[in-house]
Amino acid sequence: MTSNATILVLGDPGPVRTELLMRRELDVLWASSLADTKTMLEQHAPDAMLLAPQFSEYVEYCANNITH
């Protein structure tokens, strides 16, 4: 049995929001700020992250703080 992939979304993902919500094989975590993201990363180890353009300055931080 495989587990669902976990995606952390920072900000509004725009047109892919509906697709993310419809996918049963994904566990989607939502964050609206860097503080929310830090909390999520302390509690979860997402398989991937999706950042809205307005949060592009945090790409390096997020990439360095996903733990597997």
Side-chain angles (χ1 to χ4, degrees):
M1 177 185 232
T2 62
S3 62
N4 289 351
T6 302
I7 298 177
L8 175 55
V9 179
L10 174 54
D12 184 357
V16 299
R17 174 184 290 275
T18 302
E19 282 294 321
L20 290 171
L21 291 169
M22 290 177 19
R23 298 289 187 164
R24 291 183 179 196
E25 70 275 12
L26 297 176
D27 292 328
V28 183
L29 306 170
W30 304 94
S32 59
S33 67
L34 183 59
D36 290 345
T37 301
K38 288 179 179 181
T39 300
M40 291 288 189
L41 289 172
E42 290 171 1
Q43 299 172 2
H44 304 278
D47 298 298
M49 290 188 67
L50 178 63
L51 279 66
Q54 69 266 27
F55 294 105
S56 62
E57 64 192 84
Y58 302 129
V59 168
E60 186 174 343
Y61 170 84
C62 293
N64 291 330
N65 287 284
I66 292 180
T67 57
H68 278 286

